[in-house]
Amino acid sequence: MTPLGNADIRAVQRPGIIGVVWLLRLLSAACIAAPVNAVIQGSGITDFQRGDELLFEPGATMLIEVLRTQWKTLGGAARSSAWLTLVFACLGLVWLSVLLVALSHQGRGGPLIARAVQHVPGFTLIGGVTLLAQGGVLAVAALTYAGLGDWSARWLNQPSVDMIWAALGVVALFCVLVLGVIQDLSRAAAVRCFFGPGRALRHGIRHFSQRPGAIAAGWSLRAVGSLGIVLAAAVCVERLHVEQPGSWRILCVFGLHQIAVLALVALRASWLAYTLRQVG
C-alpha cells in the first residue's frame, strides 16, 4: 500500500468505500431494529387491512395499544437491540479505520483491511480517553450547577440565573465538541503517521492548538451541512404524510432516509479526509 499526498486525499476519490460504509450502516440498523420489529409484526397488527400503517395515525391510538399489550415482550426485544447496538458500535471502529486507511492510502482489498485492523486497538484507547475527558467535562458542569444553584437563586433574579445556566451549558458543549475534534485528529495521526495512541493524542492536541480557527471552520462547515441534510429530510418526510394510506409513502420515506444517511456518510468522509490532510 502506498501513502497518498495531501493533494490526493479527497473523499470524492473513494466513492466505493463510502458506499460500503453506508451499506454496512444500513445492515447494522436493520439488525438492531429486527427484534423490536418482530414483536410489533407478531402483535397482530398485520391482520388489519392497512397493516402497520395504523401505527402512524394521528393520536397514536394503535401504537399505544401495541405497547400496552406487548410491553413485556418489547422489553426483552429492547434488551436484545441494546446488545446489538453495542456490538455494532464496536464494529463501527473497524469501518472507521477502513475508511481512514482507504482515504490516505492507495490500494484495496486484503492489505487495506489488514492495515485497518491494526489501528482498531489504538482507536479504542483513543475513544476511551476521549469519553473519559468528555464525561469529566459534563461532571464538572453538573457539579457547578449543583454547587451554585442555591446561591444564584438567592442572589440573582430568574433571567440572570437562566443566562448563567445557558452559558454553562454552551461552554460544556463546546468543550465536548472540541474533544471530539481532537479525537478525530488523533485517529487521523495514528493512520497517517502510524503513531501509537499516546503519541497520536499528543499529535492531535498539538495540531488543534496550532490551527484552532481553521480546523473549527472545517468542522463547522460540515456540521452545518449535516444539520441541513437532516432538516431537509425531515421536511420532505413531513410533506409525504406517512400516516395516510399508501405503501408508496413508506417506501418514499425509506428512500429519503437512506439518501440522507448516504449524504451524511459522505460528509463524514470529507471531514476525515480533512483531518488526514491536517496531520500530514
Side-chain angles (χ1 to χ4, degrees), residues 6-18:
N6 274 7
D8 297 321
I9 298 179
R10 294 287 187 273
V12 294
Q13 302 294 333
R14 285 294 197 176
I17 195 66
I18 292 175

Side-chain angles (χ1 to χ4, degrees), residues 99-112:
L99 183 56
L100 279 167
V101 173
L103 288 170
S104 58
H105 291 77
Q106 186 177 8
R108 61 186 63 191
L112 187 149

Side-chain angles (χ1 to χ4, degrees), residues 86-266:
L86 180 61
V87 170
F88 283 109
C90 295
L91 290 176
L93 288 177
V94 180
W95 307 335
L96 174 64
S97 182
V98 170
L99 183 56
L100 279 167
V101 173
L103 288 170
S104 58
H105 291 77
Q106 186 177 8
R108 61 186 63 191
L112 187 149
I113 296 175
R115 173 65 66 86
V117 170
Q118 293 178 14
H119 292 292
V120 172
F123 279 19
T124 303
L125 185 56
I126 291 172
V129 171
T130 303
L131 282 176
L132 285 175
Q134 290 173 331
V137 168
L138 296 177
V140 169
L143 291 173
T144 303
Y145 178 85
L148 297 179
D150 294 337
W151 175 85
S152 60
R154 188 164 52 248
W155 294 100
L156 299 173
N157 56 32
Q158 191 59 44
S160 299
V161 172
D162 293 340
M163 290 182 63
I164 290 174
W165 299 145
L168 179 64
V170 169
V171 170
L173 178 61
F174 175 78
C175 293
V176 168
L177 292 177
V178 167
L179 289 170
V181 170
I182 292 174
Q183 173 185 239
D184 289 337
L185 289 169
S186 302
R187 287 172 170 169
V191 171
R192 191 82 191 276
C193 308
F194 216 78
F195 288 158
R199 190 176 180 186
L201 279 168
R202 292 193 298 270
H203 205 66
I205 293 170
R206 183 169 70 251
H207 272 282
F208 182 81
S209 62
Q210 289 173 348
R211 303 187 62 196
I215 293 174
W219 180 88
S220 300
L221 181 64
R222 292 162 177 85
V224 171
S226 299
L227 181 61
I229 290 170
V230 172
L231 293 177
V235 170
C236 292
V237 169
E238 180 68 22
R239 292 181 179 276
L240 282 171
H241 300 290
V242 71
E243 73 279 359
Q244 296 181 5
S247 299
W248 65 270
R249 299 179 190 273
I250 297 177
L251 291 175
C252 288
V253 168
F254 175 79
L256 283 171
H257 283 172
Q258 295 313 309
I259 291 172
V261 172
L262 180 59
L264 292 174
V265 171

Side-chain angles (χ1 to χ4, degrees), residues 31-33 35-36 74-89:
C31 291
I32 291 170
V36 174
L74 280 172
R79 285 191 293 271
S80 299
S81 294
W83 282 110
L84 287 170
T85 301
L86 180 61
V87 170
F88 283 109

